[in-house]
Amino acid sequence: MTSLAGKVDKTMEAESVGLLKHMLESELKRARQENGFDIVLFLGVDGRIFASDVPWNLDPKQYRLLNLVKGNLPDICGQLSSQNLKLSVQQYDAGTIIISGVGDKAFLVFLATKPLEIPAMEGLLANVLNVSAVMKHLLAERGMSDDEVRAYAPEVVQELKRLSRSLFVEKFEETRGYKKNMEVLAFVRKRLQAVVGVGPLEEIVTMAFNEVGTSAAYMTEASWDRFLELVIGEVEKISGESVAEKARREWVPEVRRLMKSFV
């Protein structure tokens, strides 16, 4: 038996708008909490809000800062689109607003009501720029392979990998691959039960997965081919050669069709 269990990469890339939005919002939440910001906004240069992390209840200072951003939004968008604004720090009585460009199509706004002294902000601004790099990578829908993140600072690479792992943990069951494999498994179990009965069903399925060396969630087309070979071999032992041959003719093409129907 060849075990694949240890080879499954427990990371995931956003394959849909919903999963991408989840990653963007996760990064905003982390950036706000770890850097002590009150509000973080991710906007397009046309003023649209792509994602945000905002408290349910705003105190007067937070509300005032947010209104300052809203009031200045046309000017901010104009500077970003026409002058390629990279980084801006604005301080008011109510607090500090930090604006960081994310490519030429989007920008981040960080709002903090706590006192921030410019000479002591070097580390904070470095963190802001790292968040911008992460958001730019996500917005471009680039992959997470070592080659695609090699040019970034170590802190950016580490955060992208962390987001990828978190996405796997939190959203894997929403992916096309998982849903596809669950549909294939349901099909095979139904057909197998019809030819061998309820009794041997679980034993055959468990044996086949053990031999393939992985679970249903992580199966590939090649894995299912091997799985069916093992299952149909057991069908032949229990129900005879003709039943097994019929199963081979019908099940293998249908499983391959199901696999391709989700692409």
Side-chain angles (χ1 to χ4, degrees), residues 188-198 201 239 243 251:
V188 173
R189 287 177 63 90
K190 182 178 179 180
R191 293 300 183 92
L192 181 59
Q193 182 175 324
V195 295
V196 301
V198 176
L201 173 65
S239 302
V243 175
W251 300 1

Side-chain angles (χ1 to χ4, degrees), residues 225-245:
D225 283 346
R226 174 60 178 153
F227 181 89
L228 288 174
E229 180 185 335
L230 293 163
V231 166
I232 292 170
E234 295 301 308
V235 169
E236 184 172 352
K237 293 177 186 177
I238 296 171
S239 302
E241 186 177 344
S242 62
V243 175
E245 184 56 35

